[in-house]
Amino acid sequence: MNNDDGKQDIQKYTVYLDAVSKTFHTSHFLYKEEETGKRSLIKKKEACAADRITFGIMPGEIMGLLGPNGAGKTTTVKMISGLVKPDSGTVYVNGMNVEKKRKQVLSQIGVVLEGTRTSIWPLTPLENLYYYGNLRNIRGKILKERTQQLIDFIGLTDKKDVEVRKLSRGQKQKLAICIALIADPKIILLDEPTTGLDVQSSRSIKDKVLELTRKYGRSVLVTTHDMHVAQELCDRIGIINKGKLITCRPTSELLELFSKQIFSLRLDRNLAEGDLDSLAPHITLLETVSAEDGSTITVQVPESYFERSEALYLLFETLRRKKYQLRSIQQKQVNLEYVFLQLTGEKPMLNGIHSEEQE
Amino acid sequence: MLGFLLIMKAEIIRGWIITRRYWFRTLTGLIIGYGMLMILIAGFFYSQPAIEKGINQLDDPTRATNYILGFIIGLFAFGVIGMFTQGIQGMAQTGVLEQLCLSPYGLVTNFLARAVVASVTTIFYSALMVYFVVLSVGGKLYFDPVPVIVLLTLSFINLLGFGFMVGGLVLVFKQVGQLTIIVRMALFALAIFAREEFLQQGWLVSAFMHVLPITDASICLKYVLVSGQRVSSGEFMSVFFHPCFYWLCASCIIWTLIGISLFKIMENYSRYKGTLGIY
Ligand SMILES: Nc1ncnc2c1ncn2[C@@H]1O[C@H](COP(=O)(O)OP(=O)(O)O)[C@@H](O)[C@H]1O
Ligand SMILES: [Mg+2]
């Protein structure tokens, strides 16, 4: 975690979470355990949704929160917008403590939670925007103008007089974003903005989010469980799992982790311990799988072409010297999922690697 | 205050658009409502003889009007509390509740404004209904505008306080929503049967009746609209001197204080439990 920026820098960030934690407690009545079938009258459960989460969002930046379902993304968004109260830790928005200055904070952020449900379905997009504008003290000419601008911006111009219930999922999501933008907030929180949308809607929403920051200088927090969305959209990505922020760094830096090369080699016998030690740090042995007729080892080599050739050469040389026979070699491409799984410690190694059979 | 007015405006426009857009549904709703009420009243009067002793009571239009008015006050109470119970549940499901929480004016202001708009509409429909139904059974209503408006306002405030209390519970415990239908039915029944004689059943019953948020309101309204502000001896006495009127005022203040404080506590607790928008 990039946590060298101390508290004095809170002012620098539009949103800053300082060691924020949240655990939900629930009671279940007449509970039946799934495995054992045991019944109990009251069963108390707890779910950790945030465990000392610390990060900040810079002005004009798109920050992504990437994590599987139940990781605590929505909870984090809700804590920033004051809908959920943290157990400990503090959330600052523009340097203001959210718990203490809720009113001021609320007028500076726009939140899209579950976009398709935000709007009032019997009303049209235009009417929805007027309604929510009034709820946020935007009225008169300003409201009219802004509504028109937003509808044009997001691309709902030809649907502005159609009842929301007749709109598609993507269009509802777009409207929800407009509603969040009605008070012209500098900070926008989007919870899973593209989940469940078709490719085109998803594309156009991503473009609009990019435009919002690049052209209009807004800070945006996007949560998603889709690595591609995070990669395409975000300047910085925080990976969150089981309430813990595992890493938070610039997307490009994170992607370097993805660009490592992985090879798997089939040998005629089991690899003896320590045989490849001399090759560290160039080559990392990830896994050895033994079988009756030999073994398969998986290694990671540096990403740059020359270093990689060098490393591979050394590897072959070492194997030859130690009298291993190389039966086949396969290059494997690391994808986002791989790094993600590795970082979250969910399922180590080979699960996230898909074989691209190459020579 | 500005926020309150703005939200009211937004709500009025929303209500108006929906009424107009779904005018057919609105109209059929009204007609069905009227029909149902007539059936209810008919059923009520046919079963009355079995419960009460004399059939001759049917010939007494005052008594009939009394019950009809009770029905409608009951419906009103049913609606106002429903806005806080079923209403909050629905809003939590549609995600609108979270949007209201995100409005800088806060939930209490939002709900107050919504309730006022909703109840004005309900009062309008109820008044129409009272008029038609009373005409249908050949009764007579005394309409003295000042006391009626004052009493309606007070009844509304009284119910509002109670509604906030129940609403606060629903915010945290969404399952309570199902149970509140019982509370609403009880208020409904109470509005129909509330009579001054109830208050002479010993202090315990009497105190309990005064605590409930509809008894005094219902008694006062019936006193004005049905009895024409005349005590049993036939003498005129303004409702403002009626003991139940003072009980009503006290009940308003107390319920509003309790209701809104509890609602705020529950709102906070609900933010802690994360139950503002559970789907
Ligand atoms: N209101 C709540 N009551 C109890 N548990 C909750 C509540 N909200 C979220 N949780 C739990 O907290 C964890 C994180 O949830 P959430 O933030 O919605 O995850 P995500 O959005 O990343 O899918 C989950 O285990 C979820 O079950
Ligand atoms: Mg979520």
Side-chain angles (χ1 to χ4, degrees), chain A residues 24-26 47-49 67-76 191-192, chain B residues 273-275 278:
Chain A
F24 289 108
H25 300 270
T26 45
C48 173
N69 282 333
K73 306 180 294 291
T74 304
T75 306
T76 307
D191 191 22
E192 310 250 4
Chain B
K273 293 286 272 181
T275 52
I278 229 147

PDB file of all heavy atoms in Angstrom, chain A residues 24-26 47-49 67-76 191-192, chain B residues 273-275 278, ligand 1:
ATOM      1  N   PHE A  24     -20.046  -5.685   9.522  1.00  0.00           N
ATOM      2  CA  PHE A  24     -21.499  -5.788   9.672  1.00  0.00           C
ATOM      3  C   PHE A  24     -21.843  -6.971  10.557  1.00  0.00           C
ATOM      4  O   PHE A  24     -21.273  -8.050  10.398  1.00  0.00           O
ATOM      5  CB  PHE A  24     -22.177  -5.978   8.315  1.00  0.00           C
ATOM      6  CG  PHE A  24     -22.140  -4.762   7.452  1.00  0.00           C
ATOM      7  CD1 PHE A  24     -21.330  -4.710   6.338  1.00  0.00           C
ATOM      8  CD2 PHE A  24     -22.927  -3.659   7.758  1.00  0.00           C
ATOM      9  CE1 PHE A  24     -21.301  -3.587   5.532  1.00  0.00           C
ATOM     10  CE2 PHE A  24     -22.900  -2.536   6.962  1.00  0.00           C
ATOM     11  CZ  PHE A  24     -22.087  -2.495   5.851  1.00  0.00           C
ATOM     12  N   HIS A  25     -22.775  -6.747  11.454  1.00  0.00           N
ATOM     13  CA  HIS A  25     -23.255  -7.847  12.294  1.00  0.00           C
ATOM     14  C   HIS A  25     -24.694  -8.131  11.918  1.00  0.00           C
ATOM     15  O   HIS A  25     -25.499  -7.220  11.825  1.00  0.00           O
ATOM     16  CB  HIS A  25     -23.191  -7.461  13.774  1.00  0.00           C
ATOM     17  CG  HIS A  25     -21.796  -7.132  14.213  1.00  0.00           C
ATOM     18  ND1 HIS A  25     -20.936  -8.064  14.716  1.00  0.00           N
ATOM     19  CD2 HIS A  25     -21.108  -5.966  14.184  1.00  0.00           C
ATOM     20  CE1 HIS A  25     -19.782  -7.496  15.005  1.00  0.00           C
ATOM     21  NE2 HIS A  25     -19.855  -6.222  14.688  1.00  0.00           N
ATOM     22  N   THR A  26     -24.983  -9.384  11.696  1.00  0.00           N
ATOM     23  CA  THR A  26     -26.372  -9.724  11.407  1.00  0.00           C
ATOM     24  C   THR A  26     -26.797 -10.885  12.284  1.00  0.00           C
ATOM     25  O   THR A  26     -25.975 -11.708  12.677  1.00  0.00           O
ATOM     26  CB  THR A  26     -26.562 -10.133   9.933  1.00  0.00           C
ATOM     27  OG1 THR A  26     -25.504 -11.032   9.580  1.00  0.00           O
ATOM     28  CG2 THR A  26     -26.515  -8.934   9.016  1.00  0.00           C
ATOM     29  N   ALA A  47     -19.651  -9.896   8.946  1.00  0.00           N
ATOM     30  CA  ALA A  47     -18.962  -9.801   7.661  1.00  0.00           C
ATOM     31  C   ALA A  47     -18.080  -8.563   7.696  1.00  0.00           C
ATOM     32  O   ALA A  47     -18.554  -7.470   7.979  1.00  0.00           O
ATOM     33  CB  ALA A  47     -19.982  -9.695   6.532  1.00  0.00           C
ATOM     34  N   CYS A  48     -16.811  -8.777   7.431  1.00  0.00           N
ATOM     35  CA  CYS A  48     -15.893  -7.644   7.411  1.00  0.00           C
ATOM     36  C   CYS A  48     -15.917  -7.023   6.021  1.00  0.00           C
ATOM     37  O   CYS A  48     -15.582  -7.666   5.044  1.00  0.00           O
ATOM     38  CB  CYS A  48     -14.491  -8.109   7.763  1.00  0.00           C
ATOM     39  SG  CYS A  48     -13.286  -6.810   7.567  1.00  0.00           S
ATOM     40  N   ALA A  49     -16.375  -5.804   5.944  1.00  0.00           N
ATOM     41  CA  ALA A  49     -16.496  -5.149   4.639  1.00  0.00           C
ATOM     42  C   ALA A  49     -15.372  -4.158   4.401  1.00  0.00           C
ATOM     43  O   ALA A  49     -15.105  -3.777   3.262  1.00  0.00           O
ATOM     44  CB  ALA A  49     -17.845  -4.452   4.529  1.00  0.00           C
ATOM     45  N   GLY A  67     -12.278  -5.534  -7.229  1.00  0.00           N
ATOM     46  CA  GLY A  67     -12.366  -6.635  -6.272  1.00  0.00           C
ATOM     47  C   GLY A  67     -13.541  -7.533  -6.586  1.00  0.00           C
ATOM     48  O   GLY A  67     -14.478  -7.114  -7.255  1.00  0.00           O
ATOM     49  N   PRO A  68     -13.491  -8.772  -6.108  1.00  0.00           N
ATOM     50  CA  PRO A  68     -14.592  -9.702  -6.374  1.00  0.00           C
ATOM     51  C   PRO A  68     -15.856  -9.306  -5.614  1.00  0.00           C
ATOM     52  O   PRO A  68     -15.832  -8.401  -4.804  1.00  0.00           O
ATOM     53  CB  PRO A  68     -14.043 -11.032  -5.862  1.00  0.00           C
ATOM     54  CG  PRO A  68     -13.037 -10.667  -4.835  1.00  0.00           C
ATOM     55  CD  PRO A  68     -12.446  -9.362  -5.275  1.00  0.00           C
ATOM     56  N   ASN A  69     -16.944 -10.000  -5.877  1.00  0.00           N
ATOM     57  CA  ASN A  69     -18.194  -9.727  -5.168  1.00  0.00           C
ATOM     58  C   ASN A  69     -18.010  -9.913  -3.675  1.00  0.00           C
ATOM     59  O   ASN A  69     -17.377 -10.863  -3.246  1.00  0.00           O
ATOM     60  CB  ASN A  69     -19.295 -10.669  -5.653  1.00  0.00           C
ATOM     61  CG  ASN A  69     -19.851 -10.209  -6.981  1.00  0.00           C
ATOM     62  OD1 ASN A  69     -19.813  -9.011  -7.281  1.00  0.00           O
ATOM     63  ND2 ASN A  69     -20.337 -11.128  -7.758  1.00  0.00           N
ATOM     64  N   GLY A  70     -18.565  -8.985  -2.922  1.00  0.00           N
ATOM     65  CA  GLY A  70     -18.477  -9.099  -1.472  1.00  0.00           C
ATOM     66  C   GLY A  70     -17.168  -8.607  -0.910  1.00  0.00           C
ATOM     67  O   GLY A  70     -16.885  -8.777   0.273  1.00  0.00           O
ATOM     68  N   ALA A  71     -16.365  -7.958  -1.742  1.00  0.00           N
ATOM     69  CA  ALA A  71     -15.055  -7.495  -1.281  1.00  0.00           C
ATOM     70  C   ALA A  71     -15.182  -6.277  -0.378  1.00  0.00           C
ATOM     71  O   ALA A  71     -14.313  -6.023   0.459  1.00  0.00           O
ATOM     72  CB  ALA A  71     -14.178  -7.156  -2.478  1.00  0.00           C
ATOM     73  N   GLY A  72     -16.261  -5.522  -0.549  1.00  0.00           N
ATOM     74  CA  GLY A  72     -16.434  -4.319   0.253  1.00  0.00           C
ATOM     75  C   GLY A  72     -16.387  -3.040  -0.581  1.00  0.00           C
ATOM     76  O   GLY A  72     -16.234  -1.953  -0.035  1.00  0.00           O
ATOM     77  N   LYS A  73     -16.550  -3.174  -1.876  1.00  0.00           N
ATOM     78  CA  LYS A  73     -16.503  -1.992  -2.756  1.00  0.00           C
ATOM     79  C   LYS A  73     -17.691  -1.065  -2.505  1.00  0.00           C
ATOM     80  O   LYS A  73     -17.527   0.134  -2.271  1.00  0.00           O
ATOM     81  CB  LYS A  73     -16.491  -2.420  -4.237  1.00  0.00           C
ATOM     82  CG  LYS A  73     -15.388  -3.390  -4.583  1.00  0.00           C
ATOM     83  CD  LYS A  73     -15.438  -3.772  -6.037  1.00  0.00           C
ATOM     84  CE  LYS A  73     -16.665  -4.559  -6.463  1.00  0.00           C
ATOM     85  NZ  LYS A  73     -16.741  -5.929  -5.927  1.00  0.00           N
ATOM     86  N   THR A  74     -18.883  -1.645  -2.549  1.00  0.00           N
ATOM     87  CA  THR A  74     -20.072  -0.828  -2.349  1.00  0.00           C
ATOM     88  C   THR A  74     -20.045  -0.177  -0.971  1.00  0.00           C
ATOM     89  O   THR A  74     -20.371   1.002  -0.820  1.00  0.00           O
ATOM     90  CB  THR A  74     -21.337  -1.692  -2.507  1.00  0.00           C
ATOM     91  OG1 THR A  74     -21.292  -2.318  -3.778  1.00  0.00           O
ATOM     92  CG2 THR A  74     -22.589  -0.863  -2.398  1.00  0.00           C
ATOM     93  N   THR A  75     -19.653  -0.962   0.023  1.00  0.00           N
ATOM     94  CA  THR A  75     -19.580  -0.416   1.376  1.00  0.00           C
ATOM     95  C   THR A  75     -18.635   0.779   1.422  1.00  0.00           C
ATOM     96  O   THR A  75     -18.932   1.790   2.060  1.00  0.00           O
ATOM     97  CB  THR A  75     -19.121  -1.509   2.360  1.00  0.00           C
ATOM     98  OG1 THR A  75     -19.980  -2.634   2.211  1.00  0.00           O
ATOM     99  CG2 THR A  75     -19.172  -1.017   3.784  1.00  0.00           C
ATOM    100  N   THR A  76     -17.499   0.675   0.740  1.00  0.00           N
ATOM    101  CA  THR A  76     -16.558   1.788   0.721  1.00  0.00           C
ATOM    102  C   THR A  76     -17.207   3.029   0.107  1.00  0.00           C
ATOM    103  O   THR A  76     -17.115   4.129   0.655  1.00  0.00           O
ATOM    104  CB  THR A  76     -15.301   1.396  -0.088  1.00  0.00           C
ATOM    105  OG1 THR A  76     -14.790   0.179   0.440  1.00  0.00           O
ATOM    106  CG2 THR A  76     -14.246   2.467  -0.007  1.00  0.00           C
ATOM    107  N   ASP A 191     -20.579   3.139  -8.557  1.00  0.00           N
ATOM    108  CA  ASP A 191     -20.483   1.757  -8.094  1.00  0.00           C
ATOM    109  C   ASP A 191     -20.870   0.830  -9.244  1.00  0.00           C
ATOM    110  O   ASP A 191     -22.018   0.817  -9.665  1.00  0.00           O
ATOM    111  CB  ASP A 191     -21.391   1.548  -6.883  1.00  0.00           C
ATOM    112  CG  ASP A 191     -21.134   0.212  -6.205  1.00  0.00           C
ATOM    113  OD1 ASP A 191     -20.026  -0.341  -6.398  1.00  0.00           O
ATOM    114  OD2 ASP A 191     -22.025  -0.268  -5.497  1.00  0.00           O
ATOM    115  N   GLU A 192     -19.929   0.077  -9.722  1.00  0.00           N
ATOM    116  CA  GLU A 192     -20.137  -0.872 -10.817  1.00  0.00           C
ATOM    117  C   GLU A 192     -20.941  -0.255 -11.970  1.00  0.00           C
ATOM    118  O   GLU A 192     -22.022  -0.731 -12.305  1.00  0.00           O
ATOM    119  CB  GLU A 192     -20.880  -2.124 -10.293  1.00  0.00           C
ATOM    120  CG  GLU A 192     -20.251  -2.713  -9.054  1.00  0.00           C
ATOM    121  CD  GLU A 192     -19.580  -4.044  -9.296  1.00  0.00           C
ATOM    122  OE1 GLU A 192     -19.535  -4.492 -10.446  1.00  0.00           O
ATOM    123  OE2 GLU A 192     -19.069  -4.622  -8.324  1.00  0.00           O
TER     124      GLU A 192
ATOM    125  N   LYS B 273     -25.957   0.107  10.691  1.00  0.00           N
ATOM    126  CA  LYS B 273     -26.245  -1.261  10.274  1.00  0.00           C
ATOM    127  C   LYS B 273     -26.205  -1.432   8.761  1.00  0.00           C
ATOM    128  O   LYS B 273     -26.253  -2.547   8.244  1.00  0.00           O
ATOM    129  CB  LYS B 273     -27.644  -1.677  10.761  1.00  0.00           C
ATOM    130  CG  LYS B 273     -27.796  -1.803  12.249  1.00  0.00           C
ATOM    131  CD  LYS B 273     -27.130  -3.033  12.797  1.00  0.00           C
ATOM    132  CE  LYS B 273     -28.095  -4.215  12.762  1.00  0.00           C
ATOM    133  NZ  LYS B 273     -27.436  -5.419  13.338  1.00  0.00           N
ATOM    134  N   GLY B 274     -26.167  -0.308   8.050  1.00  0.00           N
ATOM    135  CA  GLY B 274     -26.133  -0.391   6.586  1.00  0.00           C
ATOM    136  C   GLY B 274     -27.444  -0.842   5.980  1.00  0.00           C
ATOM    137  O   GLY B 274     -27.459  -1.497   4.956  1.00  0.00           O
ATOM    138  N   THR B 275     -28.563  -0.490   6.621  1.00  0.00           N
ATOM    139  CA  THR B 275     -29.852  -0.990   6.135  1.00  0.00           C
ATOM    140  C   THR B 275     -30.659   0.058   5.382  1.00  0.00           C
ATOM    141  O   THR B 275     -31.844  -0.120   5.170  1.00  0.00           O
ATOM    142  CB  THR B 275     -30.716  -1.518   7.295  1.00  0.00           C
ATOM    143  OG1 THR B 275     -30.771  -0.505   8.286  1.00  0.00           O
ATOM    144  CG2 THR B 275     -30.147  -2.771   7.884  1.00  0.00           C
ATOM    145  N   ILE B 278     -31.370  -1.948   1.537  1.00  0.00           N
ATOM    146  CA  ILE B 278     -31.128  -3.372   1.398  1.00  0.00           C
ATOM    147  C   ILE B 278     -32.091  -3.901   0.358  1.00  0.00           C
ATOM    148  O   ILE B 278     -33.232  -3.469   0.275  1.00  0.00           O
ATOM    149  CB  ILE B 278     -31.242  -4.093   2.747  1.00  0.00           C
ATOM    150  CG1 ILE B 278     -30.026  -4.971   2.904  1.00  0.00           C
ATOM    151  CG2 ILE B 278     -32.493  -4.926   2.849  1.00  0.00           C
ATOM    152  CD1 ILE B 278     -29.539  -5.128   4.264  1.00  0.00           C
TER     153      ILE B 278
HETATM  154  N1  LIG C   1     -26.202  -3.969   5.366  1.00  0.00           N
HETATM  155  C1  LIG C   1     -25.440  -5.050   5.493  1.00  0.00           C
HETATM  156  N2  LIG C   1     -25.657  -5.916   6.497  1.00  0.00           N
HETATM  157  C2  LIG C   1     -24.873  -7.003   6.633  1.00  0.00           C
HETATM  158  N3  LIG C   1     -23.860  -7.318   5.843  1.00  0.00           N
HETATM  159  C3  LIG C   1     -23.576  -6.494   4.803  1.00  0.00           C
HETATM  160  C4  LIG C   1     -24.358  -5.321   4.575  1.00  0.00           C
HETATM  161  N4  LIG C   1     -23.855  -4.693   3.481  1.00  0.00           N
HETATM  162  C5  LIG C   1     -22.819  -5.434   3.063  1.00  0.00           C
HETATM  163  N5  LIG C   1     -22.647  -6.517   3.849  1.00  0.00           N
HETATM  164  C6  LIG C   1     -21.574  -7.532   3.703  1.00  0.00           C
HETATM  165  O1  LIG C   1     -20.349  -6.857   3.614  1.00  0.00           O
HETATM  166  C7  LIG C   1     -19.512  -7.459   2.635  1.00  0.00           C
HETATM  167  C8  LIG C   1     -19.130  -6.448   1.572  1.00  0.00           C
HETATM  168  O2  LIG C   1     -20.259  -6.114   0.813  1.00  0.00           O
HETATM  169  P1  LIG C   1     -20.218  -5.100  -0.405  1.00  0.00           P
HETATM  170  O3  LIG C   1     -19.555  -3.852   0.045  1.00  0.00           O
HETATM  171  O4  LIG C   1     -21.605  -4.965  -0.916  1.00  0.00           O
HETATM  172  O5  LIG C   1     -19.301  -5.838  -1.469  1.00  0.00           O
HETATM  173  P2  LIG C   1     -19.072  -5.547  -3.011  1.00  0.00           P
HETATM  174  O6  LIG C   1     -19.778  -4.291  -3.375  1.00  0.00           O
HETATM  175  O7  LIG C   1     -17.593  -5.444  -3.162  1.00  0.00           O
HETATM  176  O8  LIG C   1     -19.618  -6.718  -3.758  1.00  0.00           O
HETATM  177  C9  LIG C   1     -20.279  -8.647   2.103  1.00  0.00           C
HETATM  178  O9  LIG C   1     -19.831  -9.780   2.794  1.00  0.00           O
HETATM  179  C10 LIG C   1     -21.710  -8.336   2.440  1.00  0.00           C
HETATM  180  O10 LIG C   1     -22.421  -9.515   2.653  1.00  0.00           O
END
